[in-house]
């Protein structure tokens, strides 16, 4: 008996509590609706849409529809130089007049659900230079419709689009780019629809507050054009054009400063001794390879265009200086080696000339001895003229010796003159290796500084 009684009491309590909760909710709804909002002023949408043909523009057969356009930029997410594109999220607002949707029940603006968009005629606006685009639909479709009593419709939508942007990268990374967002009617010509910027669109809300990682928006402007296509007619076009200036700080840190340091590091070899061949060669090859790696990594994020960029020019300037430092050591080492070889040649030629002179002296002594013996034989055979022969043979014995001494001296003078000529031609012609390094210590930094001044003036002015 106790269990059925408990169950009946619980059921009765549930119904009583539910009734109280339902009354409370209805009371809250009644308080929310209140007496200030009269539901009776709402127009009957079913009556309003009777006879409405969404396939035909307002005032068909008459003057064109004037569509006022306004844009609010939410974000610019990514600007790609490799693909020459940027991604932008905008709130696109279009406003036009449609007499078929006017009502006189009240003077209040009617905000409608986004699903009501499918029942209305809409301008066929599209983004001309868009690569891809999509509407946002979280948590519902991000679309807005507002209907005024006089038939003016405000249609707003949130769009994210990847838009093409032709870039001139000749002065990269000191460049300034102009990107555009072109809006145009896809099917209606200027006889059916006319676009114009809204009167309130004097500036773009949100664009001044954007902070981009690589660019700074310096200026923007609104352009109204009429595009003439021979096969289709004339179509109205609205363009938003904004100027982008690239931020150079990141490139100075990542590209320019490492290049300058590599060039300066290659100059260290000028203070290393010429005899330290492994040290100087390894330093030169290391700087050249590091510079090559830096050039390749910097170009990986850029399109493979034929245009020569400012960064490429600077990389090649640094590459030439680094390579020239390696060539300087090869030149200095060649001169030092050449001087040593020429000195060895001169020394060898000097030794050979001395041996020739020594052999010549010995031959002259033997010749003088043989001449003396012949003279003595003649003296013995001619006994009658001994006194006269002896007086005449005394100068005869010294004649050949005096002649040989004079010839020897003349040959020595000629040989010494030839050695001087050889030294002047061979030894003095190459520059001393240490002198080359001393000149390089001053010439390389000065030339690099001058080239840097010319480079920065040419690309920043």
């Amino acid at each position: 008996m106790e269990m059925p009684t408990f169950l009946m009491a619980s059921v009765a309590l549930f119904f009583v509590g539910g009734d109280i909760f339902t009354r409370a909710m209805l009371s809250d709804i009644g308080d929310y609706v209140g007496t200030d909002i009269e539901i009776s002023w709402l127009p009957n949408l079913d009556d309003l849409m009777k006879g409405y043909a969404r396939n035909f523009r307002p005032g068909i057969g008459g003057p064109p529809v004037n569509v006022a356009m306004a844009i609010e930029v939410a974000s610019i997410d990514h600007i790609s130089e490799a693909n020459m594109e940027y991604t932008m999220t905008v709130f696109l607002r279009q406003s036009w007049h449609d007499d078929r949707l006017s009502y006189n029940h009240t003077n209040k603006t009617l905000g409608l659900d986004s699903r009501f968009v499918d029942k209305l005629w809409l301008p066929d606006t599209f983004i001309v230079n868009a690569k891809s685009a999509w509407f946002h639909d979280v948590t519902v479709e991000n679309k807005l419709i507002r209907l005024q009593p006089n038939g003016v419709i405000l249609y707003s939508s949130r769009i994210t689009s990847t838009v093409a942007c032709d870039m001139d990268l000749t002065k990269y990374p000191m460049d300034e780019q102009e990107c555009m967002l072109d809006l145009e009617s896809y099917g209606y010509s200027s006889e059916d629809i006319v676009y114009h910027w809204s009167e309130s669109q004097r500036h773009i809300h949100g664009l001044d507050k954007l902070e981009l990682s690589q660019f700074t928006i310096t200026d923007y402007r609104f352009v109204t054009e009429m595009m003439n296509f021979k096969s289709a007619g004339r179509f109205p076009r609205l363009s938003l054009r904004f100027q982008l200036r690239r931020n150079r700080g990141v490139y100075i840190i990542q590209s320019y400063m490492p290049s300058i340091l590599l060039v300066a590091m290659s100059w260290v070899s000028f203070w290393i001794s010429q005899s330290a061949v492994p040290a100087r060669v390894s330093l030169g090859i290391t700087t050249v390879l590091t510079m090559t790696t830096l050039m390749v990594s910097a170009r990986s994020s850029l399109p493979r265009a034929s245009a020569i960029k400012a960064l490429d020019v600077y990389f090649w300037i640094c590459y030439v200086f680094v390579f020239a430092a390696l060539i300087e050591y090869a030149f200095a080492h060649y001169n030092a080696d050449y001087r040593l070889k020429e000195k060895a040649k001169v020394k060898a030629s000097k030794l050979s000339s001395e041996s020739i002179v020594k052999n010549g002296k010995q031959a002259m002594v033997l010749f003088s001895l043989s001449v003396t013996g012949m003279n003595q034989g003649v003296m013995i055979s001619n006994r009658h003229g001994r006194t006269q022969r002896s007086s005449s043979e005394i100068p005869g014995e010294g004649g050949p010796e005096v002649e040989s001494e004079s010839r020897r001296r003349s040959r020595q003078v000629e040989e010494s003159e030839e050695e001087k000529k050889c030294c002047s031609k061979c030894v003095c012609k190459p520059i001393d290796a240490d002198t080359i390094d001393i000149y390089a210590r001053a010439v390389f930094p000065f030339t690099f500084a001058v080239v840097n001044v010319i480079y920065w003036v040419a690309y920043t002015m």
Side-chain angles (χ1 to χ4, degrees):
M1 292 293 291
E2 293 180 358
M3 182 62 71
T5 304
F6 177 74
L7 292 174
M8 291 178 64
S10 300
V11 171
L13 182 62
F14 174 77
F15 280 107
V16 171
D19 184 61
I20 294 172
F21 180 73
T22 303
R23 288 179 181 179
M25 288 187 64
L26 292 174
S27 177
D28 291 341
I29 294 174
D31 293 340
Y32 176 75
V33 174
T35 57
D36 295 336
I37 301 178
E38 296 293 335
I39 304 299
S40 60
W41 68 267
L42 292 174
N44 191 337
L45 295 180
D46 294 334
D47 294 339
L48 194 63
M49 297 301 295
K50 283 182 180 179
Y52 184 86
R54 64 183 300 270
N55 296 326
F56 299 100
R57 69 171 180 86
I60 186 171
V65 180
N66 289 314
V67 178
M69 196 82 66
I71 288 181
E72 180 179 345
V73 178
S75 65
I76 298 178
D77 304 322
H78 180 64
I79 300 176
S80 174
E81 295 86 3
N83 299 324
M84 291 195 177
E85 63 185 19
Y86 68 95
T87 302
M88 175 185 283
T89 300
V90 297
F91 294 97
L92 181 62
R93 298 186 176 94
Q94 304 175 75
S95 179
W96 67 94
H97 183 261
D98 193 345
D99 290 332
R100 297 173 294 178
L101 297 177
S102 60
Y103 56 90
N104 53 10
H105 297 78
T106 181
N107 58 355
K108 294 184 178 180
T109 301
L110 181 62
L112 302 176
D113 189 82
S114 60
R115 289 169 291 185
F116 193 72
V117 174
D118 298 333
K119 300 180 181 180
L120 299 178
W121 175 89
L122 300 175
D124 57 346
T125 307
F126 79 107
I127 302 175
V128 179
N129 51 347
K131 293 183 176 180
S132 61
W134 61 91
F135 292 100
H136 292 259
D137 54 1
V138 179
T139 59
V140 295
E141 291 187 3
N142 297 171
K143 296 180 180 179
L144 174 100
I145 285 288
R146 285 181 181 174
L147 181 60
Q148 296 182 8
N150 58 355
V152 176
I153 300 173
L154 173 64
Y155 171 54
S156 177
S157 59
R158 185 184 177 200
I159 304 173
T160 297
S161 177
T162 300
V163 186
C165 179
D166 295 333
M167 299 182 183
D168 183 11
L169 299 176
T170 305
K171 291 187 176 182
Y172 175 89
M174 277 85 70
D175 57 331
E176 294 185 2
Q177 306 296 338
E178 183 183 51
C179 293
M180 297 179 292
L181 183 69
D182 297 330
L183 302 172
E184 187 179 312
S185 174
Y186 190 82
Y188 292 104
S189 64
S190 59
E191 297 178 356
D192 296 318
I193 192 171
V194 173
Y195 287 114
H196 61 88
W197 291 106
S198 176
E199 295 179 357
S200 61
Q201 191 72 50
R202 295 182 179 179
H203 65 278
I204 300 178
H205 180 71
L207 193 61
D208 299 333
K209 299 179 181 179
L210 290 179
E211 293 184 1
L212 306 178
S213 59
Q214 296 184 13
F215 291 90
T216 300
I217 300 175
T218 58
D219 192 17
Y220 60 87
R221 56 195 176 99
F222 305 100
V223 179
T224 303
E225 297 177 297
M226 190 65 67
M227 307 304 296
N228 190 6
F229 301 97
K230 294 182 179 180
S231 59
R234 303 177 67 198
F235 290 83
R237 176 180 294 184
L238 298 181
S239 297
L240 169 63
R241 302 182 181 181
F242 49 95
Q243 303 287 335
L244 299 172
R245 185 181 65 237
R246 194 181 301 275
N247 299 328
R248 306 166 187 171
V250 63
Y251 296 96
I252 293 176
I253 295 174
Q254 293 182 355
S255 299
Y256 286 98
M257 289 305 297
S259 302
I260 295 173
L261 293 177
L262 281 174
V263 174
M265 188 171 67
S266 67
W267 299 339
V268 176
S269 63
F270 302 151
W271 278 265
I272 299 177
S273 175
Q274 289 284 337
S275 60
V277 178
R280 296 193 66 162
V281 172
S282 60
L283 180 61
I285 294 176
T286 301
T287 52
V288 169
L289 294 179
T290 307
M291 195 69 216
T292 304
T293 304
L294 186 63
M295 293 171 63
V296 173
S297 62
R299 288 185 59 87
S300 60
S301 61
L302 297 175
R304 295 183 179 180
S306 58
I308 300 176
K309 306 168 188 63
L311 188 61
D312 296 336
V313 173
Y314 196 81
F315 278 152
W316 276 106
I317 290 172
C318 296
Y319 192 87
V320 168
F321 273 90
V322 170
F323 190 75
L326 182 61
I327 297 300
E328 183 273 343
Y329 174 66
F331 179 72
H333 186 74
Y334 173 78
N335 275 270
D337 189 48
Y338 187 79
R339 285 175 62 89
L340 292 175
K341 290 180 179 179
E342 291 300 324
K343 285 182 179 179
K345 288 181 180 180
V346 171
K347 188 175 182 180
S349 63
K350 187 176 181 181
L351 291 174
S352 64
S353 63
E354 289 178 354
S355 64
I356 291 171
V357 170
K358 186 176 182 180
N359 294 331
K361 288 180 179 180
Q362 293 176 356
M364 290 296 294
V365 170
L366 293 175
F367 178 75
S368 61
L369 290 175
S370 62
V371 171
T372 304
M374 291 175 66
N375 290 333
Q376 287 178 358
V378 172
M379 289 170 61
I380 293 171
S381 59
N382 298 324
R383 292 177 180 179
H384 299 284
R386 181 179 298 175
T387 54
Q388 295 179 357
R389 295 281 184 182
S390 59
S391 61
S392 63
E393 284 174 1
I394 293 172
E397 291 178 358
E401 292 180 356
V402 173
E403 183 181 359
S404 61
E405 288 292 334
S406 63
R407 290 180 180 177
R408 185 176 60 185
R409 290 178 182 176
S410 64
R411 286 180 181 178
Q412 289 179 355
V413 171
E414 290 177 357
E415 288 174 358
S416 62
E417 290 179 355
E418 288 179 357
E419 289 181 0
K420 291 181 180 179
K421 290 181 180 178
C422 182
C423 291
S424 63
K425 290 181 180 179
C426 302
V427 179
C428 300
K429 185 177 181 181
I431 306 174
D432 184 55
D434 295 331
T435 306
I436 295 175
D437 283 342
I438 293 172
Y439 285 147
R441 294 171 192 173
V443 172
F444 272 72
F446 177 76
T447 308
F448 188 69
V450 172
V451 171
N452 269 272
V453 171
I454 296 173
Y455 173 85
W456 289 104
V457 169
Y459 282 102
T460 56
M461 297 299 290

